[in-house]
Amino acid sequence: MREQIEKVLKEKVDPVLAEHYGGATLTGFENNVAKVRLTGACASCPSAQYTIEDVVKNIVMENCEGVKDVILDTSVSEDLLDMAKKILRK
C-alpha cells in the first residue's frame, strides 16, 4: 500500500502542488491512515491543513482503495534537526 500511495503522491498530487512550488511525501502509513508531509513552499503555508484535506486527501483516497484517512505530518524532519544540532555545536 505504501508504494501505491507514494506513486499517487508523485504522479497526481505533486503536479498540483508544484503549481505552488511544493510537493508531498509519505512519512507513515498505519491503521489505514496515510501521514503526509508537505514540502517546498507548501510546508510553511498557513493553508497546509486545508491543502491536505481538500487536495491530497481527495486524490489519495480516490486512487488508493483501503486508505481511510490522510493527515498532515507536522513533525520536524530529521534533516532539519541534524542541521540545528550542527549549528548549536559551533
Side-chain angles (χ1 to χ4, degrees):
M1 181 61 76
R2 285 184 70 96
E3 290 176 3
Q4 183 181 3
I5 297 168
E6 288 170 343
K7 182 178 180 186
V8 168
L9 290 174
K10 182 179 180 181
E11 294 177 1
K12 298 187 183 247
V13 173
D14 281 353
V16 173
L17 298 182
E19 294 176 14
H20 300 272
Y21 306 101
T25 58
L26 181 68
T27 58
F29 183 70
E30 192 174 326
N31 299 322
N32 296 329
V33 176
K35 201 171 190 180
V36 175
R37 175 177 290 132
L38 297 180
T39 61
C42 293
S44 59
C45 178
S47 299
Q49 185 64 45
Y50 298 110
T51 300
I52 285 288
E53 293 170 4
D54 295 340
V55 178
V56 181
K57 182 176 181 176
N58 288 336
I59 293 172
V60 170
M61 291 181 70
E62 284 175 7
N63 291 276
C64 300
E65 190 173 321
V67 175
K68 295 191 189 244
D69 201 6
V70 177
I71 60 171
L72 178 62
D73 181 354
T74 58
S75 64
V76 177
S77 72
E78 288 299 316
D79 290 341
L80 184 57
L81 287 173
D82 289 343
M83 185 186 312
K85 289 175 186 176
K86 286 178 185 176
I87 291 169
L88 292 171
R89 288 186 186 131
K90 287 185 180 184

